[in-house]
Amino acid sequence: MNKKTFTFLLTIILIITFNSHSWSWGFWAHKRINHQAVFSLPPDMLGFYKNHIDYLTKHATAPDTRRYIIPDEAPRHFINPERFKIPIDSIPEHWQAAVDLFSNDSLQEYGIVPWYINEMEFRLTSAFKAKDVDKILKLSADIGHYIADAHVPLHCTSNYNGQQTNQEGIHAFWESRIPELFGNDYNFFIGRAIYIKNPLKTAWNIVKESYNAKDSVLTFEKRLSDNYPSDKKFSIETKGKKTVKVYSIEYSKAYSEMLGGMIERRMCSAILMVSSYWYTAWVNAGQPNLSSIENKEPSIELMNQLKQEEQDSKSGKSPNKGHVD
Ligand SMILES: [Zn+2]
Ligand SMILES: [Zn+2]
C-alpha cells in the first residue's frame, strides 16, 4: 500500500470513528458511575442496591441504546443553552414556564436534560412508594445515566463536538478516551450521599457547572493542538479486528494534565449526585423498608424489554413511542 492510499484509508477510518458520536460518557464511565454510586448509599438502601449492582452497572447505558429506536430520546441527554439566545441564568427553571416561552418543539430541539432528571426523580420516588422492584431498578439505572451526561461540559453546549471550532472528535476524546485511559487511577472516595432539597435546581446547577467548563474544555484542546507535532497527535490502535485512529496516549495525557483533574472531578461529582438522587427519592417516598424486596430479581418482562431494545437498536427497528417509562 502506498502512502497516499494509507492516508486515504486512515481518513476514512477517522471519519467513521469520530462520526459514531456516542452522546454520553463512554460505556466504561457510565458503568463505573452507576456502580460506584451504590457505595455512597446509607445502610438502609445499601443491601437492595448491592444485590442489584450488576443490573445498575450493565444497564447504565440503556438510555443510549434507546436513542436509536425512540425519537424523543435524544434531547433527554443534553441541553444547548446557547440556542435559547438568553443568558443561561435567565432560562426558566420550571418546565411549564420554559414551554410557555419557547414552545415544546423548540425545547426538544435545544435539549431537556435538567427537566428530565427532575421527571425521573419524581418517577423514582413513586416507584419507591410502591416498592416496585422493576421500576426502582430501571429508573435508578436511567437517572444515573442522565445525571452523568449532564456532568459532561460537551453535553451542555451547542459546540458539542467542536464542530464549530474545527475540533471534531473532542466529544469522545473528553468523555470516553481519557477516562478509559486514566480512569482506573481516579480516586472515587466521595463520601456519603446527601439529601437534595430541590432536585430541579440541583439539576440546573449541574448543567451550569458543565456549561461554565466548556470554554476550558475547548480552548485548552485548541491550544494544545496548535502547539503539538501533528504527527504525534494520533496513533493507531487495534480494537478487536478493527484498526482505528485514536488520540495518542501522550496527547491524551497532555490534554488531561492541562485540564487539571477536571474529568476526574466531574466524574466524582456525577457519582455523588447519582447516589444522592437515589437517596433523595427514597427519603421523599417516606424511607420505605427495602429489606422485603432486597432479594427480588427484576422480572422476566423487564429483562426481555431491555433485550428487545438492544436488538431493535441494532436493526434500526422503530418501536412505538410509549415504550419507555
Ligand atoms: Zn447519554
Ligand atoms: Zn456524550
Side-chain angles (χ1 to χ4, degrees):
M1 198 185 326
N2 66 28
K3 209 178 160 196
K4 228 175 169 184
T5 322
F6 184 68
T7 315
F8 174 73
L9 282 176
L10 270 190
T11 313
I12 298 289
I13 293 164
L14 181 71
I15 290 167
I16 294 167
T17 315
F18 283 176
N19 271 2
S20 56
H21 168 50
S22 69
W23 281 96
S24 55
W25 290 92
F27 276 26
W28 182 87
H30 268 302
K31 287 181 179 191
R32 194 66 202 259
I33 289 166
N34 270 10
H35 184 94
Q36 209 66 34
V38 169
F39 300 101
S40 287
L41 291 169
D44 284 348
M45 295 179 77
L46 198 57
F48 178 88
Y49 275 80
K50 256 191 178 169
N51 280 352
H52 297 102
I53 197 163
D54 288 344
Y55 176 99
L56 296 162
T57 307
K58 183 165 188 264
H59 299 290
T61 52
D64 277 342
T65 307
R66 283 181 212 127
R67 286 190 54 243
Y68 298 96
I69 47 178
I70 296 164
D72 290 346
E73 182 61 33
R76 300 169 183 167
H77 300 243
F78 68 89
I79 187 161
N80 294 338
E82 299 95 333
R83 302 279 309 270
F84 291 78
K85 297 205 164 63
I86 52 173
I88 188 166
D89 287 324
S90 306
I91 301 171
E93 196 175 284
H94 288 274
W95 173 253
Q96 198 49 53
V99 169
D100 291 346
L101 204 57
F102 294 97
S103 86
N104 182 45
D105 283 356
S106 299
L107 295 182
Q108 299 299 331
E109 244 182 76
Y110 304 166
I112 61 167
V113 68
W115 294 296
Y116 203 67
I117 289 171
N118 192 48
E119 166 73 25
M120 290 277 101
E121 180 71 352
F122 183 74
R123 291 191 210 173
L124 181 57
T125 307
S126 305
F128 274 125
K129 278 183 192 159
K131 288 204 198 178
D132 184 325
V133 171
D134 275 7
K135 283 192 175 156
I136 295 172
L137 288 178
K138 187 163 182 280
L139 292 161
S140 293
D142 286 0
I143 198 174
H145 181 99
Y146 300 114
I147 292 166
D149 274 358
H151 277 84
V152 176
L154 296 173
H155 276 243
C156 300
T157 172
S158 56
N159 193 15
Y160 53 82
N161 195 23
Q163 75 280 13
Q164 297 164 3
T165 42
N166 202 19
Q167 293 173 279
E168 278 95 346
I170 192 173
H171 191 109
F173 184 32
W174 192 101
E175 71 174 15
S176 300
R177 175 76 174 150
I178 293 183
E180 276 160 28
L181 280 175
F182 311 121
N184 280 327
D185 294 331
Y186 292 169
N187 180 352
F188 292 129
F189 292 105
I190 45 136
R192 281 288 186 84
I194 47 174
Y195 180 75
I196 298 169
K197 277 197 203 108
N198 186 335
L200 179 60
K201 200 182 248 326
T202 299
W204 269 107
N205 286 341
I206 295 167
V207 162
K208 285 173 192 177
E209 286 163 9
S210 288
Y211 182 73
N212 289 334
K214 74 173 190 328
D215 288 337
S216 306
V217 169
L218 290 157
T219 54
F220 288 2
E221 201 276 332
K222 187 82 160 166
R223 204 182 303 156
L224 180 64
S225 180
D226 286 347
N227 295 299
Y228 210 82
S230 55
D231 61 330
K232 295 211 164 63
K233 186 172 169 182
F234 298 103
S235 61
I236 305 299
E237 272 184 11
T238 319
K239 284 190 177 167
K241 283 181 186 163
K242 274 190 228 152
T243 307
V244 287
K245 188 175 177 178
V246 292
Y247 290 97
S248 71
I249 293 176
E250 293 70 30
Y251 188 79
S252 305
K253 209 168 172 209
Y255 180 49
S256 178
E257 276 166 14
M258 278 177 99
L259 290 170
M262 184 208 277
I263 299 178
E264 183 176 3
R265 280 196 306 278
R266 290 313 275 160
M267 220 175 140
C268 285
S269 171
I271 294 163
L272 181 65
M273 282 298 111
V274 170
S275 194
S276 299
Y277 274 88
W278 290 346
Y279 170 59
T280 301
W282 175 75
V283 170
N284 289 345
Q287 309 195 359
N289 184 345
L290 300 178
S291 54
S292 61
I293 53 166
E294 205 168 278
N295 295 313
K296 230 176 138 188
E297 294 299 320
S299 71
I300 294 169
E301 288 77 22
L302 175 61
M303 297 317 286
N304 283 343
Q305 187 195 329
L306 290 161
K307 230 183 259 165
Q308 190 64 45
E309 281 177 1
E310 240 163 69
Q311 278 169 12
D312 289 347
S313 76
K314 280 179 195 138
S315 63
K317 205 173 117 194
S318 177
N320 51 7
K321 271 174 134 191
H323 201 60
V324 186
D325 56 20

